[in-house]
Amino acid sequence: MGTYLLRRVLSLVVSLALASVVIFAVVEIAPGDPARFMLGVNAQPDTVAALRAELGLDQGKVARYLAWVGGMLSGDFGTSYTYRTPVAQMVADRLQVSLPLAGYALVLSVLIALPAGIYAAARRGRPGDVAVMGATQLGIAIPNFWFAMMLVLIFAIRLRWFNAGGFAGWDAGLWAGLHALTLPAIALALPQAAILARVMRSALLDVLGEDFMRTARAKGLTRGQALRRHGLRNALIPVLTIIGLQFSFLLAGGIIIEQVFYLPGLGRLIFQAISARDLIVVESVVMLLVFAVIVVNFAVDLAYVAVDPRLRARS
Amino acid sequence: MTRTLILGGLLSGLVLAMALLSLIWTPYDPAAMAIPDKLQPPDAAHWLGTDHFGRDMASMIMVGARTSIAVALVAVGIGMGLGVPLGLAAAARKGSWLDEVIMRGNDLIFAFPSLVIAILITAVFGPGAINAIIAIGIFNIPVFARVTRGGALPLWERDFILAARVAGKSRTRISAEHILPNVANLLIVQGTIQFSLGILAEAGLSYVGLGAQPPTPSWGRMLADAQTMVSLAPHLALVPGCAIILTVLGLNLMGDGLRDALDPRLRQVRR
Amino acid sequence: MSLLEIRNLHLTIHGTPVLSGIDLDIAPGEILAVTGESGSGKSMTAFSVMQLLPQGARASGAIRLDGQDLLSLSETQLCDLRGRAMGMVFQEPMTALNPVQSIGQQVMETIRIHDRSADAQAARARAHDVLTRVGLPPERFPLGRYPHELSGGQRQRVVIAMAIALRPRLLIADEPTTALDVTTQAQILELLKRLVAEDGMALMMITHDLAVVADLADHIAVMRNGEVVETGPTRTVLRDQTHPYTRMLFAASRHAVDLPEAPPPVPLLKVTDLRRSYPGARPHPFAPRPRIEAVRGVSFALHRGERLGLVGESGCGKSTLTRAILGLDPVQGGSIHLNGDSITQHVPHALRRQIQVVFQDPFGSFNPRHRVDRLITEPFHLLDDPPKGAARRNAVADALDAVGLKPDDAMRYIHEFSGGQRQRIAIARALIIRPQLIVFDEAVSALDVSVRARILDLIADLCRAHGLTYLFISHDLSVVRSVTDRVLVMQAGQIVEDGATDHVFAAPRHPYTQTLIDAAPVLPDLPALRNETP
């Protein structure tokens, strides 16, 4: 088990380092000089030079890369070119919306998908299965931002159960915050739940064909007992992989959904930064998203150990 | 023959025919504004209504289908063109440094969801359909590399591959002659899935302004334009939304149907 | 009085008849062997008794356990009987256990599912006892072990423990030793025999191996095409063999081929101190990978015209050695020479064409997308000037003719052929470029006995016609005995015995060879049986 863990930690560090190099390199080849862009075309050369020095742009590429990575490790993401405020502070404010939204959506997705998938697998080929599978086909085909617009149209504009958008912050209370995030979370979660339900169903059906399920039946377990005691945990292994992948889809998808609901999350920040060519903000937010994806996949690897004893090699 | 395959093929074929037809004919000029006719609900003159500039929605949908299909098709082409050779090479030398580099590289790309790649590219080079294609295409590379490698690895253990090696054939030649034809089914199915994901991704990117730029009509931007007026004229959102859903649904059904039709194990069971 | 009575059992699966009119009886304490070739319906008979049939199966007739007709019971009643009154052991121990549950949990489950009053403590104690009974004392094999930490034979013992935990009156074993090595097989058969004697259980044993049957069973039922063709006490059936199919089956099982005399020894292949190792898992990420030694200094010579056998149990390194000789894997030490030229590291085409191979799996040996003519001419790749046009067609026709197939078969696809025909095609592929050496890698192991006998005859015919030289790798001692002049016995990466086949089998020198020969079940001699007074 120690070996497996250590190997995963190593691969985590290597992935993060490589990702940071790629992001830095891509932003580095961007045409144009941020200092000149910020000061406008008519700026004096010495003003531009002074700003370049202030932003650290006059140093070599390697030195700047190391400064950027070193800064991030100590919580310093640099200073926004346009707002002149620390990027770390801006990102932290926005994360208060984006992270709970992704988490909320993930919980909804799992709560909807797993029971639906299990139900469908248990009634394979019967009307219940056909209905669930039909619904998931539709769910996969629906773009989440369009679904969000429909939710707004029905539940905010027509029925007035929810606000059409905006987020007052967590200071207004947990309940108010969750209420504001509910429609966006549903819009994000349902298409992902459709995928997850299909994975759950096919993973279970695969396990049902395994020899040990027949052994369980030969012991006198009913179909349902065999499914619960032997099927679920084995089927969970592929399902965990997909749940890990979905978190990255939810974070990224959140960027779009925030546009529909005018939520002050990472998505809004990144689009403002793109239009203002505030590349250091783009760089940091992208790195943060990639960091989240890699760390979540690491967590999934840890979860495998809990589920699958074959990974717990004895020393 | 499966009903899913027929239904999926019909839906996908319909969208494709629409896109092709738009090359030579559309009911109206999709760019022609007619402010007096704005926000008309569907009627005999405008089958799918008009938008806030009085443009004909049906014409825009037809031309938008072209954009969607072009973006998704090229992105799948990029993914297959680069991913399949990489996957074949990785499987041919399993466990070697080449395999290791290819799979690590794949993991790295997987850490960048296509939207994040698009944001990065857009931030640097500016928005546009080409950049959307590149972003979706890059994300497709590890998908195809994985599927190819996953399908190829068990084949390399099969006796007929060993027999080919005993017959003195090189790994490259075996990959082309024996491995590729035997993973083709997997690739066709994955291709339809990635195609439908590409349509969804293109719509999402266009919706947030990172995809096709005006005046090129695209389904995603039609939805973005519709957002502020959706309560006045719901058809502005419903029409492009349904176009996306039907296209993606058709492709997914076709993928499922193809998988069942091409999987020899399933075929034997049915016999 | 029978414990299990099967009367006029008919079974169809999706309308296709699988069993027709089966009548069988087993008394308590008795072992009934149900035998036959693949497709005979013997496994389906077993699953019919357990009522664990695939979807679309319809059974009629009667299956009475202690007078109670299983076909008339509800699913709930059947669940109550399974595991308690009747248990089952399966063929593949590697997959029959749930990989994510400990063996203790899995044995305790049988107990707790039927005895609600048993608390965890009591169930644990009983699991402890049962595992001890099957030879896995928890002192050495703690209940918390997972299946992947056990060998195949040990896993099969766990499966048996689950099946007999509640001392059922009927135990069904479906090819329980087919996937195991011969020494492990002997131990598992011994265990089953002991359990039957101790518990007075009835055992229904499904097996294709007549030697196992002869050794173990009180009664035999011989099946073919979903029907029982002959049944009776083992001795009587073995002696009388009234049904022609039974006669054919026994004849094929003890089939000995007629090999021509081997020519005087001229060395062809020379293997010297060969070593093969592969990297194992690192103990920790910075450690160097340990090397696992699969072949540890093997030396032998193979002469022109000689038929050499290589036997050993799984994991002994015989497959690794074979792959090294075929040039499929790099070697780490020693040398391989063919006709005096080294083929140790790099095999030039001119030498590679001198060695061809026939693999075990008749279904995996061919690319399903190619026609037979393309399949068998693949080795032409090794020739500097491969035949074209009419010459190629003639070569294909000759090769197919040599293995007993028709020239027309060249245009058919591989799925149109049976397992035996496919092995003929594999031999044609190996022969088409007239190599000096053919490697048969478990080439008849996947075949039914009757098909196997015909392929062995074909090999003997080819020996007579072409003076074949071959290396015959097999785990099956009786086959090796009949088709080789000389035999190598391999254990733990080394050759422990090398000698003329007759001598080695008659008087093995190495204790391991002795163990192998003792463990292998053998059919009793027919004349000896006939001379016995009934």
Side-chain angles (χ1 to χ4, degrees):
Chain A
M1 169 160 185
T3 316
Y4 177 80
L5 269 187
L6 212 62
R7 210 197 305 274
R8 297 315 309 166
V9 171
L10 269 184
S11 124
L12 171 84
V13 171
V14 171
S15 300
L16 285 174
L18 281 177
S20 70
V21 171
V22 169
I23 294 169
F24 185 81
V26 170
V27 172
E28 202 53 30
I29 54 173
D33 178 357
R36 185 164 290 281
F37 188 85
M38 287 161 66
L39 293 172
V41 275
N42 300 323
Q44 297 297 315
D46 51 338
T47 330
V48 174
L51 184 63
R52 283 176 60 85
E54 186 195 327
L55 296 174
L57 294 172
D58 53 345
Q59 290 164 337
K61 289 189 194 315
V62 178
R64 270 186 298 136
Y65 169 74
L66 291 177
W68 177 58
V69 171
M72 280 193 301
L73 288 176
S74 59
D76 175 11
F77 285 60
T79 306
S80 157
Y81 297 160
T82 36
Y83 297 97
R84 301 295 185 94
T85 50
V87 177
Q89 188 54 51
M90 298 166 69
V91 170
D93 288 346
R94 305 307 183 98
L95 272 181
Q96 290 186 12
V97 180
S98 291
L99 266 188
L101 176 59
Y104 193 173
L106 190 67
V107 170
L108 279 182
S109 167
V110 170
L111 286 183
I112 297 166
L114 299 198
I118 295 167
Y119 174 83
R123 329 199 128 247
R124 179 189 200 172
R126 286 191 256 170
D129 179 26
V130 175
V132 171
M133 284 300 100
T136 60
Q137 272 293 8
L138 201 61
I140 291 175
I142 293 177
N144 57 16
F145 61 93
W146 179 82
F147 187 51
M149 288 165 72
M150 293 298 116
L151 289 177
V152 169
L153 183 63
I154 297 166
F155 293 102
I157 296 175
R158 295 276 143 84
L159 296 174
R160 297 186 179 282
W161 291 355
F162 293 91
N163 288 329
F167 184 74
W170 294 102
D171 298 337
L174 181 67
W175 170 243
L178 282 182
H179 191 254
L181 291 184
T182 297
L183 282 188
I186 292 175
L188 264 176
L190 274 188
Q192 296 298 317
I195 297 174
L196 195 58
R198 293 178 80 86
V199 173
M200 181 77 229
R201 172 182 181 271
S202 72
L204 255 185
L205 289 181
D206 283 350
V207 172
L208 287 181
E210 295 277 351
D211 281 355
F212 61 78
M213 295 302 286
R214 196 180 54 188
T215 312
R217 297 275 285 130
K219 281 174 175 181
L221 271 68
T222 63
R223 279 178 64 87
Q225 281 172 326
L227 191 80
R228 278 192 300 279
R229 293 176 184 217
H230 296 278
L232 280 184
R233 193 153 150 208
N234 279 288
L236 216 54
I237 295 170
V239 171
L240 271 176
T241 313
I242 302 299
I243 292 180
L245 280 179
Q246 290 208 329
F247 186 77
S248 61
F249 281 113
L250 290 173
L251 259 185
I255 294 176
I256 294 184
I257 292 296
E258 284 168 15
Q259 300 299 300
V260 184
F261 291 94
Y262 307 102
L263 296 176
L266 282 181
R268 305 276 291 170
L269 177 65
I270 208 165
F271 288 119
Q272 284 160 4
I274 287 177
S275 51
R277 292 197 67 72
D278 198 344
L279 290 182
I280 186 136
V281 173
V282 176
E283 200 174 42
S284 302
V285 174
V286 166
M287 186 65 219
L288 196 78
L289 289 173
V290 171
F291 175 81
V293 172
I294 294 176
V295 167
V296 166
N297 285 324
F298 175 70
V300 169
D301 285 342
L302 294 192
Y304 284 152
V305 181
V307 174
D308 191 343
R310 282 165 292 191
L311 293 174
R312 285 176 241 151
R314 48 183 64 242
S315 44
Chain B
M1 202 56 186
T2 63
R3 270 176 296 175
T4 1
L5 185 55
I6 294 170
L7 184 61
L10 279 178
L11 275 174
S12 315
L14 186 73
V15 176
L16 186 67
M18 215 162 73
L20 289 177
L21 180 63
S22 78
L23 288 170
I24 48 170
W25 177 82
T26 50
Y28 293 82
D29 176 359
M33 300 188 195
I35 304 295
D37 290 339
K38 70 174 183 177
L39 299 180
Q40 294 289 317
D43 58 27
H46 295 279
W47 304 333
L48 298 174
T50 60
D51 74 351
H52 54 298
F53 291 127
R55 292 176 294 193
D56 179 52
M57 294 282 284
S59 305
M60 291 172 77
I61 289 288
M62 284 173 70
V63 182
R66 217 159 70 197
T67 314
S68 284
I69 289 175
V71 169
L73 204 59
V74 179
V76 168
I78 292 175
M80 271 201 183
L82 293 173
V84 172
L86 286 176
L88 286 176
R93 295 269 174 210
K94 188 200 172 207
S96 68
W97 63 267
L98 182 72
D99 183 23
E100 198 64 23
V101 167
I102 290 173
M103 292 325 285
R104 289 297 118 209
N106 270 336
D107 286 348
L108 188 65
I109 299 181
F110 256 135
F112 291 80
S114 63
L115 187 66
V116 173
I117 300 178
I119 285 170
L120 208 53
I121 293 178
T122 315
V124 174
F125 301 106
I130 302 290
N131 291 339
I133 289 175
I134 295 173
I136 304 168
I138 288 179
F139 191 71
N140 276 341
I141 296 171
V143 173
F144 282 103
R146 253 163 220 247
V147 169
T148 309
R149 181 177 180 272
L153 277 184
L155 289 175
W156 275 102
E157 294 303 312
R158 295 272 294 276
D159 287 345
F160 73 90
I161 300 298
L162 294 180
R165 289 181 63 199
V166 172
K169 291 190 172 161
S170 69
R171 285 174 185 270
T172 316
R173 177 147 182 198
I174 292 175
S175 289
E177 197 170 302
H178 290 297
I179 304 282
L180 188 58
N182 279 294
V183 294
N185 288 351
L186 283 178
L187 294 178
I188 291 170
V189 171
Q190 194 64 41
T192 57
I193 294 173
Q194 292 310 115
F195 194 90
S196 76
L197 287 178
I199 301 245
L200 279 177
E202 191 276 333
L205 289 177
S206 300
Y207 172 76
V208 289
L210 301 182
Q213 298 299 301
T216 313
S218 95
W219 294 344
R221 250 212 4 275
M222 290 171 76
L223 284 171
D225 292 343
Q227 188 162 356
T228 47
M229 278 159 286
V230 68
S231 56
L232 292 173
H235 75 275
L236 288 187
L238 283 174
V239 170
C242 290
I244 297 172
I245 293 171
L246 289 179
T247 310
V248 175
L249 193 65
L251 286 167
N252 284 341
L253 290 176
M254 197 162 80
D256 280 5
L258 277 176
R259 189 183 50 215
D260 293 350
L262 294 176
D263 189 335
R265 280 174 306 162
L266 291 174
R267 205 162 38 197
Q268 263 165 16
V269 170
R270 223 179 291 131
R271 224 178 249 161
Chain C
M1 165 69 199
S2 295
L3 173 75
L4 181 73
E5 282 178 351
I6 301 180
R7 289 289 172 269
N8 196 26
L9 173 66
H10 287 259
L11 180 73
T12 61
I13 297 178
H14 293 295
T16 314
V18 176
L19 300 176
S20 28
I22 304 287
D23 289 303
L24 288 174
D25 290 88
I26 315 181
E30 184 188 80
I31 301 178
L32 169 75
V34 180
T35 189
E37 298 188 290
S38 40
S40 63
K42 54 191 192 300
S43 285
M44 276 303 148
T45 310
F47 285 111
S48 302
V49 177
M50 289 301 281
Q51 283 292 294
L52 289 176
L53 289 164
Q55 278 201 342
R58 264 174 203 288
S60 66
I63 304 174
R64 279 189 286 273
L65 182 71
D66 261 349
Q68 192 173 28
D69 188 0
L70 300 179
L71 293 183
S72 67
L73 295 184
S74 73
E75 181 57 30
T76 321
Q77 289 168 309
L78 284 167
C79 281
D80 179 54
L81 285 180
R82 289 188 204 117
R84 192 174 56 76
M86 51 186 185
M88 184 155 183
V89 179
F90 305 91
Q91 172 169 354
E92 199 35 84
M94 303 314 269
T95 52
L97 292 169
N98 183 346
V100 305
Q101 273 189 7
S102 71
I103 59 171
Q105 281 174 312
Q106 297 190 53
V107 176
M108 282 159 66
E109 186 174 47
T110 310
I111 297 161
R112 299 193 69 179
I113 200 92
H114 291 287
D115 184 357
R116 305 274 156 155
S117 67
D119 58 10
Q121 199 69 36
R124 176 172 293 274
R126 284 168 71 180
H128 190 287
D129 293 345
V130 176
L131 282 167
T132 311
R133 268 192 88 199
V134 299
L136 296 174
E139 295 75 42
R140 291 200 295 131
F141 302 94
L143 295 177
R145 284 274 170 96
Y146 286 94
H148 70 275
E149 299 170 302
L150 301 178
S151 71
Q154 290 163 348
R155 291 190 206 190
Q156 195 63 302
R157 287 172 190 270
V158 176
V159 177
I160 293 174
M162 294 180 343
I164 61 139
L166 296 171
R167 299 190 180 240
R169 282 159 288 161
L170 173 68
L171 181 64
I172 299 175
D174 182 18
E175 302 271 10
T177 59
T178 305
L180 303 175
D181 277 325
V182 52
T183 49
T184 318
Q185 156 165 300
Q187 293 161 7
I188 295 290
L189 292 177
E190 204 46 52
L191 171 67
L192 287 173
K193 236 192 260 186
R194 197 189 83 214
L195 292 171
V196 167
E198 285 175 5
D199 291 2
M201 230 170 11
L203 173 62
M204 180 179 190
M205 171 95 173
I206 312 295
T207 179
H208 70 283
D209 188 336
L210 287 173
V212 167
V213 173
D215 237 26
L216 185 80
D218 304 308
H219 281 75
I220 299 187
V222 180
M223 288 186 69
R224 185 184 57 176
N225 296 338
E227 288 176 45
V228 175
V229 297
E230 182 163 5
T231 179
T234 307
R235 297 255 133 202
T236 322
V237 173
L238 283 181
R239 193 184 60 218
D240 300 346
Q241 299 181 15
T242 35
H243 196 279
Y245 182 71
T246 317
R247 267 204 296 286
M248 191 280 292
L249 217 49
F250 276 89
S253 294
R254 63 168 92 235
H255 186 73
V257 301
D258 187 15
L259 284 183
E261 202 58 36
V266 179
L268 174 65
L269 179 79
K270 191 159 172 48
V271 175
T272 317
D273 195 28
L274 191 76
R275 292 178 182 275
R276 270 289 288 124
S277 59
Y278 51 88
R282 295 175 208 269
H284 63 87
F286 300 107
R289 284 179 182 276
R291 305 292 298 185
I292 294 171
E293 304 238 20
V295 175
R296 308 186 297 162
V298 162
S299 304
F300 68 91
L302 173 56
H303 303 295
R304 213 176 276 270
E306 189 179 32
R307 282 78 53 155
L308 180 65
L310 175 63
V311 296
E313 297 185 291
S314 52
C316 74
K318 59 183 194 297
S319 320
T320 315
L321 177 61
T322 311
R323 290 174 66 108
I325 293 172
L326 290 172
L328 293 174
D329 293 335
V331 303
Q332 281 69 42
S335 63
I336 309 171
H337 286 85
L338 187 75
N339 281 329
D341 297 316
S342 169
I343 52 168
T344 314
Q345 295 300 343
H346 172 70
V347 195
H349 277 191
L351 292 175
R352 157 110 46 211
R353 79 174 67 128
Q354 301 304 343
I355 307 183
Q356 287 297 309
V357 61
V358 178
F359 290 108
Q360 169 175 5
D361 179 9
F363 296 89
S365 292
F366 302 97
N367 189 336
R369 292 164 187 280
H370 294 170
R371 289 180 204 273
V372 167
D373 65 337
R374 183 162 175 195
L375 292 172
I376 66 171
T377 53
E378 189 159 42
F380 278 173
H381 179 68
L382 290 163
L383 302 181
D384 304 321
D385 181 23
K388 297 201 170 56
R392 183 174 177 276
R393 275 196 300 280
N394 285 340
V396 169
D398 286 350
L400 288 175
D401 185 54
V403 297
L405 294 171
K406 293 189 297 294
D408 298 352
D409 291 333
M411 297 318 286
R412 293 163 70 193
Y413 285 97
I414 198 69
H415 67 257
E416 302 172 48
F417 296 91
S418 69
Q421 288 173 319
R422 288 180 203 207
Q423 282 315 67
R424 287 172 191 269
I425 294 170
I427 294 173
R429 174 170 63 185
L431 277 176
I432 199 163
I433 53 169
R434 303 278 159 193
Q436 295 183 327
L437 170 63
I438 294 186
V439 175
F440 290 103
D441 186 1
E442 301 274 7
V444 296
S445 302
L447 304 175
D448 277 326
V449 281
S450 54
V451 182
R452 186 178 78 189
R454 288 198 291 274
I455 296 290
L456 292 177
D457 279 339
L458 170 67
I459 292 175
D461 287 346
L462 292 170
C463 281
R464 271 188 293 277
H466 304 291
L468 231 49
T469 309
Y470 58 74
L471 177 64
F472 195 99
I473 296 115
S474 180
H475 68 280
D476 188 332
L477 299 177
S478 64
V479 172
V480 170
R481 186 173 193 170
S482 90
V483 295
T484 64
D485 308 310
R486 194 156 64 89
V487 66
L488 308 171
V489 181
M490 201 165 171
Q491 183 197 18
Q494 289 174 314
I495 289 180
V496 297
E497 184 150 2
D498 175 353
T501 307
D502 297 344
H503 289 168
V504 171
F505 278 90
R509 278 168 292 137
H510 195 276
Y512 177 69
T513 317
Q514 181 76 54
T515 318
L516 277 186
I517 293 174
D518 287 349
V522 280
L523 278 172
D525 251 358
L526 212 73
L529 269 177
R530 297 235 159 103
N531 288 338
E532 263 178 29
T533 41

